[in-house]
Structure formats: structure tokens, C-alpha cells
Amino acid sequence: MRPKRLPEWFVLLLPAFIVMAAVVLIPLLFSLYSSFTPYKLTRPSTLWRWVGTYNYEKILSDWKFWSAFGRTVLFLTIVLNLELLLGLGIALMMNKVTWGQRTLRTVLMFPMMFSPILVGFQFKFIFNDNIGLVNNALQSLGISDAALPWLVDGKLAMFSIIFAEIWMSTSVFAILILAGLFAMPRDPLEAAKVDGCTAWQTFRHITLPFLMPFIYIAMTIRSLDVARAYDIVQIMTGGGPARRTELLWTLMSRTGYVDARMGLANAMGYVSILLSIVFTIYFFRKLSAARAELGMAG
Amino acid sequence: MKKSKFTKGLLASCAVLASAESALSSDWGSFEGVTIEAKLIGGQQYEGLYGRIADWEAATGAKVEIISKKSHFEIDREIKSDMAAGTTDWCIGSNHSSFAPQYEGLYVDLNDYVDASVIEGFVPGTITASTVGGDLLMLPRAQFDVSVLYYLKSNYEDAQKAEAFEAQFGYPLAVPQTWEQVKDQAIFFADPPNFYGTQYAGKDEAIVGRFYEMVVAEGGNFLDEDNRPIFNSDAGQRALQWFVDLYEAKAVPAGTTSYVWDDLGQGFASGTVALNLDWPGWAGFFNNPDSSKAAGNVGVAVQPMGSVTRTGWSGHHGFSVTDDCANKEAAASLVAFLTSEESQLAESAGGSLPTRTAVWEANIAKARAGDDPFRTEALEAFAEGAKYAFAVPPIPEWGESTNLVFPELQAAIVGDKTVEEALDDAAEAVDELMRESGYY
């Protein structure tokens, strides 16, 4: 009798399964397990002390965590919407350019090429209240005679961080939407022209619906990025002052790496991952609906 | 036999040239074939000392492999990861008196590996601060940090200013001796946004350390004997009120709550800050015309006192030997070499403060004999300031407690909470941490 052989498809995929398990599944399970322990990096033995849902209970009743959670949702919402509007505007304008468009597209991508840490330092200097460019410009032009606390005032500090984030990543939207514009069939646009539609009507009823799948793909990618915002915030404000700009990742990284409370930080990670899941599901559903509307497969 | 000051002064001036010979002539042991892996703090100012490692290698036959060279905060994170992963078989780690207590079980008690006579040569306070639970966890290098007051001299040479100040505050304008006087003068000198009276580090451990020393200067303390938080006392409220008053009066830059050391140093060097409590490493930078607009106009004085005493939250760098090191004797020999009198003379020649008594005396004698009155003034101020130095509580939770306290201090400063509310909230959070940690 011949020994039972594993199916070929399984054998072929086995290396991929092993790699995925090693780099994704095992770390995920390990971090999930450690979120039920008081694991401190400096006391490895604490990894084996089971405390059940203590970390989760602590987080659920911690207003500092929920404030950071709420602030992250607000940050996500503002950044995504502004990046969409600006990216859409840039893409539409660039689509009209007939000469030097390739060069412009390359220039547009420059901010994305910088490390977020460098962008953070750049804007920390620009928004410095004493020696920063913005205040010096405002004072030199006679617009203000005060040193505006860009990185301290609650509203201004959030604005400064949002500005830096948008400066760095708007081009993601612009490039993806531009790709959509390039792929757009010309017939419906010409038909609209023949029917006497205004530019706004053409955009509202033909161009925008066609672009929606591209917009939702960009939204999904960026929502995951923005929900993990850390470098820029950490460099510019460190989440302060007085937690005014504290986002989930600045809180988690301080808890996990500075305070060494990795068990608690992992529990925070698992609660906050809900945020990414909700946003991802929402945008994927919107993407499917937009594709269905265009007659594409759901 | 005790060496005379003259001999020590002579030693100081010859130290750099003679260091290689000293290394070879001292008995650092023989460790032929041994390789010592080290994780060291990185930075241009530290390279001079690391250059001397070749002398120790020549004297002992051992090799040193530097496997990591980063800032202390990065080294700290890396060491924590090593502890978590169990990869702590490297031998020497750069350490800091603020960080040392948290690495439980990582480093050996150097009392078992270094002769008592060697340890006696260090400033006693630095040995106390390097000792946690009775174990001497590191030997201090020539990087002793205590703050003193840097000030712009021109503010005290203007007769009109002096007259106006005395008319307003009722006492003569002179370099401040108390924190109350610092506040008065900072408010008096301030002309925002062009000029500020003073500034302070406004986040992380930096502001908590400053607050801590002010609480002690006001007669209070951060924790009691059982490690319960007691900084929300009257003394604590007076201390925090000082920060709040300066901020409200716009005597400090509006962004001071986001500043740490580099921002403060650059601020004073820009010539737009009258009074600046800061670390020794900045002295040369502030008085160097290439790096500072304040150069030639910088005075250095001992730190002011609170309503009870003068204090100085301080710390120092050091080198530790891991318990998992395969050859602890060789590692301890290298640590002793890097912190020896010769090494400290060479390292402190760059401007940092030594942690050995003999080297302090040698440096001051050398400065007095030379033609650099600023260096003499600075060294004397730091020598006096060091008398009031104290280290942070030697508990692993110190760093974590500062992360709980600093946002509350900021909340009071920027007006989100009253001083009392902020300190009570901070104390409540630290109390929970201490309870969770099993102190009471």
C-alpha cells in the first residue's frame, strides 16, 4: 500500500505557511498571550504570570487611554478628509497639464520620500515658537507681535501635527486618483459634453463615481497609516503638552518601551486594533459598493 | 599616601600625553585571547575616552568589540529588549544613575571585582547613587551632571536696569541667590517675543527632575521612606507654582513645555535668555563665539536656593558589567581602566566633570594656573553646586513615575488644571504604580 501523500497544493504552499506563521502568526499569538500577563521587559519572569483580563480592565477604565483613542479617531477623520480633498484637487489640476507632467508627478512624490522622523524634525523647527520660521515670518511681516505657541496650544498643536502629516502624505491620494483619471474612458465625458452638461455636472455624475474605487483604496491604505501615526507626533510634541496631542501610538510606545510594560502596551494594541478593523471594513464596503455602481464585480 | 595638590595639578597637565604609558604601566591584569563585547553611549564627546581602549588592549592582551554605540535612551531600549530576549551575554554596558535601578539582575556587584581602594577614589555621592540594594552596579566615568546657573553678565552691568529693578522689587539687582529672586528677575528681564527671563525643560523626566529638586529645595520630597508619593505637599505646590507663575507672566518662551536639553542650550546660546539653569556640558558651548551669541557675556554661579536649602537633582554616567559575561574579571578591569584617574583626567579635559575627587582638584588647580578665567569660574561653580547634588530614588519605577507626573505638571503650567489638582492627580497615579509594584 502506498503511503498517503500530502496534496501538492499544500506542499507548494507550505514554505509560505511556515514563513507567515513565523513572522505574523506567532508574534501575534505571543503578543495576545502577553496582554494577559504583567509582562515587563526588564523582568522576563513576569511573562509567565497570568493575570487574566486585568490589563484590559485597567485600559477600559482609563480615561487617558480613551482620550488618546478619541483623539486618534478625530486625527484620522480630519487628516483623511483633507488629504482626499487636496489630493483630488491636485490630481484634477495635474490631469489638465499637457507639458512637463512627468516631472510634476515626480516632484509631487518628494514629500513621501522623506522619513517621517525627518519630517517631524523639519516641522518642529518650522513651528518652534522662539526660533521657528513661521513665527519669525509672522513677526517680520507685522501680522503678529506675539510668539504663537504652535506646539503647545491645544488647537494649534493638533493643527501643526495634522499639517505635517498632510504635507507628507497627500501625494498618496493625488497619485492614486491621478491613476484613476488616466484609466477613465473618454466616451462618457464626450457624451456629457454633447448633452450640454456643465463642468460641475460632468465631475459630479461621471468623473467622481468613476474615481470612487480609487479614492476608497487610498482611504483604506492611509487609514491604516494614520492610525499608526507615531514618528511625526513623537518628534514634534511627544504627545504633549498635558496630553493635548497624545495619540494611541505615542501612549503605547511610552508604555511598552519606556516604561517597559509590554503586557499592558500589547493589551492597548489589541483594543486599538479595533479602530483599524472598523475603518478597513467601512472603506472596503464602500469600495465594493462603488465598484458595483460602476458595474464591476463586487 | 595622599598626593599633594601640586602633584595632582602636574598630573593633570601631563595626563593626556602620559595616559598611554600609564595604561601600560598599571596592572590591569592579563587576559590574553579574551574578547569583551561592549554597548556604549555614542557621541563625538565620548570618542576620546574610547580611543584609550587600545591602551588597555595592549596592556592586557584582550580585545574589545563595541557592538552598539547609541544615545542613552536608545541603549536603554536596546538593553530592555536584550533582557526580554535573554541575550545579555555581552559584558559591558554604558549606564546612568537614573537608569541603573531598573535593570534588575542584569549587572554584577562591582564590589566583588574592584578593589575597595579604587572605589574610595570616587566622589562618595556618586558611589551612593551607583549603589542599588547594596550592589555597586556601575563605576562612574567623568560625566557628572549637576546644574548651575548660567546668566548673561550684561544684565547686571546696566545702572538704569539696576535702579528700575530695585524700585520695583525693593532689593538690589544682583545674580540671584534664591529661586524667588530668579522669578522676580526673569519677569523683570523678559520682553517677549524678543527676550526671555528664563526657560525650563518642559517634558519627560527633564521637567520632573527639575520639579523634584525644587520640591526638595522647598523642604519637601518626592517619595517617602515607603516610596509613597508625597510631592503633592505644600512644598510641592510652592515648587510647581514657580513654574506656573513664570509661564503665566510670559517670562519663559511659550514653547518651553515642549523643550528638552538641546532646545534650552540653543535658546541660551541665541542670547535671548537671561538666566538658565543647565548642565556642565554646555559651559564651553555657551562661551564659544562659534556656537553662541552669548559668548564673552556668560557668567556661571552656584544654583539658587529654595525657601529651605540649595539642591541639585543630579546624575552621572558609568560602566557596568553583566552577570552573564563570560569573563567578568576582564570586564571589570576594563571598567576600572575607563574610570581610572588617568582616563578621567583625559576625558574631563574636554569639559565634562569628573567623578573622582583627585581629578576635581587637579582640574581646578590647572584652571587656576591657566589663562581661562571662565573655565575657573565654571569649575568652581560646579564644584560648589555638586555639594548639593542628590540622585533620583534608586527604584526601578522612577522612570515610569516621571511619565505619570510630567503631563500633570504640564497641565498646571498651561492652565488646564490648578496646581493642587495637577499634583493630586499625579500623586494618585504614582500611588497606584507603587501599589501595583508591591511597595505597600
Side-chain angles (χ1 to χ4, degrees):
Chain A
M1 194 177 133
R2 288 177 66 190
K4 252 189 171 178
R5 291 183 63 182
L6 292 167
E8 274 177 21
W9 65 266
F10 183 77
V11 175
L12 286 170
L13 287 174
L14 195 57
F17 286 147
I18 292 169
V19 171
M20 288 292 281
V23 301
V24 179
L25 191 63
I26 293 172
L28 267 179
L29 290 175
F30 178 75
S31 60
L32 180 64
Y33 162 76
S34 71
S35 72
F36 295 101
T37 70
Y39 182 36
K40 280 203 88 165
L41 290 178
T42 50
R43 290 184 210 169
S45 61
T46 50
L47 182 59
W48 312 115
R49 221 177 88 212
W50 183 263
V51 291
T53 55
Y54 177 80
N55 287 332
Y56 289 93
E57 286 164 26
K58 193 175 166 71
I59 291 165
L60 292 175
S61 59
D62 183 3
W63 67 267
K64 284 176 253 173
F65 175 81
W66 290 110
S67 301
F69 192 97
R71 218 173 280 115
T72 307
V73 174
L74 181 72
F75 182 74
L76 244 171
T77 310
I78 295 174
V79 166
L80 282 184
N81 283 296
L82 287 178
E83 282 186 6
L84 165 62
L85 286 176
L86 292 170
L88 182 62
I90 291 169
L92 289 171
M93 283 192 287
M94 197 165 284
N95 196 38
K96 299 277 183 199
V97 174
T98 53
W99 185 83
Q101 198 191 62
R102 283 184 190 176
T103 310
L104 264 180
R105 285 207 304 263
T106 310
V107 171
L108 181 70
M109 291 172 77
F110 277 174
M112 288 168 62
M113 297 173 193
F114 289 106
S115 145
I117 290 178
L118 290 180
V119 174
F121 276 116
Q122 169 188 311
F123 281 97
K124 186 183 177 189
F125 171 69
I126 288 172
F127 287 117
N128 182 291
D129 59 296
N130 193 13
I131 53 168
L133 289 179
V134 175
N135 271 357
N136 274 300
L138 291 176
Q139 286 159 22
S140 303
L141 296 169
I143 297 169
S144 167
D145 59 356
L148 294 177
W150 290 100
L151 299 175
V152 173
D153 179 87
K155 291 189 179 76
L156 289 180
M158 279 307 278
F159 165 82
S160 306
I161 292 167
I162 287 170
F163 189 93
E165 183 73 34
I166 289 173
W167 180 87
M168 190 177 73
S169 300
T170 293
S171 42
V172 175
F173 273 89
I175 295 293
L176 284 170
I177 293 171
L178 193 60
L181 287 169
F182 286 169
M184 197 168 167
R186 310 304 302 169
D187 297 354
L189 293 174
E190 279 162 19
K193 212 172 188 177
V194 171
D195 289 347
C197 290
T198 62
W200 169 249
Q201 285 170 329
T202 308
F203 172 75
R204 171 72 187 82
H205 299 291
I206 297 172
T207 310
L208 193 58
F210 186 82
L211 290 179
M212 286 318 283
F214 295 89
I215 287 173
Y216 285 124
I217 288 169
M219 283 278 198
T220 311
I221 294 169
R222 285 294 298 147
S223 70
L224 293 172
D225 273 350
V226 180
R228 290 177 303 176
Y230 171 68
D231 313 55
I232 288 179
V233 188
Q234 181 62 27
I235 300 291
M236 288 178 70
T237 64
R243 302 192 185 91
R244 284 171 169 181
T245 57
E246 184 91 290
L247 301 184
L248 281 172
W249 274 88
T250 53
L251 179 65
M252 270 189 272
S253 74
R254 195 159 49 245
T255 306
Y257 290 103
V258 182
D259 297 345
R261 302 183 81 169
M262 199 47 92
L264 184 61
N266 280 336
M268 286 180 182
Y270 276 95
V271 175
S272 62
I273 214 169
L274 293 173
L275 185 65
S276 299
I277 291 172
V278 166
F279 270 84
T280 307
I281 290 173
Y282 174 76
F283 288 131
F284 264 117
R285 290 180 70 167
K286 290 297 229 180
L287 173 65
S288 299
R291 283 168 64 84
E293 198 175 315
L294 291 175
M296 299 174 180
Chain B
M1 200 177 102
K2 259 188 137 183
K3 291 177 185 132
S4 71
K5 280 187 179 179
F6 173 75
T7 315
K8 285 169 192 166
L10 200 64
L11 260 177
S13 44
C14 301
V16 179
L17 288 174
S19 60
E21 287 170 32
S22 299
L24 291 169
S25 60
S26 301
D27 182 15
W28 299 110
S30 178
F31 304 106
E32 201 67 45
V34 172
T35 298
I36 297 293
E37 290 187 328
K39 295 195 171 203
L40 304 178
I41 181 173
Q44 194 53 43
Q45 65 271 44
Y46 307 118
E47 288 302 317
L49 178 62
Y50 303 153
R52 300 193 77 240
I53 290 175
D55 298 336
W56 181 82
E57 289 177 326
T60 61
K63 284 276 166 219
V64 178
E65 193 182 337
I66 299 174
I67 55 173
S68 191
K69 216 188 253 188
K70 294 174 179 164
S71 80
H72 253 153
F73 292 101
E74 289 170 309
I75 286 274
D76 173 56
R77 280 195 287 271
E78 187 175 304
I79 288 173
K80 284 170 181 166
S81 299
D82 282 346
M83 291 178 76
T87 52
T88 52
D89 56 349
W90 39 274
C91 281
I92 289 179
S94 271
N95 209 340
H96 191 283
S97 51
S98 291
F99 293 160
Q102 57 185 336
Y103 308 128
E104 286 181 276
L106 176 64
Y107 293 128
V108 298
D109 179 6
L110 287 169
N111 285 309
D112 299 337
Y113 294 91
V114 180
D115 198 85
S117 63
V118 172
I119 297 167
E120 279 169 14
F122 288 89
V123 174
T126 63
I127 292 298
T128 307
S130 303
T131 304
V132 178
D135 293 348
L136 178 61
L137 295 183
M138 61 175 170
L139 282 188
R141 69 188 283 180
Q143 285 290 335
F144 180 55
D145 280 340
V146 63
S147 299
V148 296
L149 191 70
Y150 295 94
Y151 60 92
L152 297 183
K153 287 195 279 192
S154 52
N155 283 323
Y156 300 95
E157 293 161 357
D158 183 331
Q160 276 186 329
K161 263 186 192 166
E163 198 181 323
F165 180 84
E166 191 162 358
Q168 190 176 340
F169 292 95
Y171 63 92
L173 179 62
V175 177
Q177 290 297 312
T178 67
W179 287 115
E180 272 307 301
Q181 291 175 1
V182 170
K183 187 164 84 179
D184 290 347
Q185 293 184 19
I187 293 169
F188 176 76
F189 290 137
D191 178 23
N194 304 310
F195 194 81
Y196 294 96
T198 187
Q199 54 183 355
Y200 46 78
K203 64 178 182 180
D204 301 334
E205 187 201 13
I207 187 174
V208 183
R210 282 279 174 263
F211 167 72
Y212 183 8
E213 69 185 13
M214 300 273 290
V215 175
V216 177
E218 289 297 321
N221 212 332
F222 197 78
L223 303 173
D224 70 7
E225 288 163 356
D226 299 324
N227 293 317
R228 288 175 203 275
I230 52 168
F231 53 76
N232 53 337
S233 57
D234 288 347
Q237 289 184 26
R238 283 198 300 277
L240 181 53
Q241 193 63 51
W242 183 88
F243 292 85
V244 174
D245 288 347
L246 284 168
Y247 196 83
E248 281 181 354
K250 299 190 191 312
V252 293
T256 201
T257 50
S258 66
Y259 290 3
V260 277
W261 311 123
D262 278 358
D263 308 280
L264 299 179
Q266 296 294 348
F268 186 72
S270 74
T272 60
V273 177
L275 299 158
N276 181 43
L277 191 76
D278 221 324
W279 305 106
W282 289 104
F285 183 86
F286 289 154
N287 210 40
N288 180 351
D290 294 336
S291 54
S292 167
K293 287 182 183 168
N297 188 25
V298 182
V300 194
V302 65
Q303 72 271 48
M305 63 183 292
S307 60
V308 174
T309 180
R310 253 181 245 277
T311 58
W313 159 59
S314 77
H316 57 266
H317 296 202
F319 296 107
S320 303
V321 175
T322 61
D323 198 36
D324 291 342
C325 175
N327 196 323
K328 298 185 190 69
E329 287 75 16
S333 165
L334 178 56
V335 166
F337 171 80
L338 292 171
T339 58
S340 65
E341 210 166 306
E342 290 84 359
S343 290
Q344 295 221 355
L345 280 167
E347 193 170 23
S348 61
S352 61
L353 300 186
T355 52
R356 283 179 164 275
T357 313
V359 184
W360 263 110
E361 291 167 0
N363 282 351
I364 291 176
K366 187 185 172 195
R368 279 182 185 149
D371 57 356
D372 187 351
F374 175 77
R375 169 99 172 130
T376 311
E377 183 186 348
L379 273 177
E380 286 178 344
F382 281 111
E384 182 65 15
K387 291 178 187 167
Y388 309 102
F390 65 85
V392 300
I395 53 169
E397 290 76 15
W398 161 251
E400 197 173 340
S401 73
T402 65
N403 282 332
L404 296 170
V405 173
F406 89 78
E408 301 299 341
L409 301 183
Q410 291 179 326
I413 290 168
V414 298
D416 288 355
K417 291 182 182 178
T418 66
V419 163
E420 201 175 347
E421 283 167 358
L423 289 180
D424 285 346
D425 288 350
E428 193 183 328
V430 175
D431 182 61
E432 188 184 338
L433 169 67
M434 295 304 172
R435 281 178 196 280
E436 279 183 0
S437 304
Y439 285 103
Y440 45 87

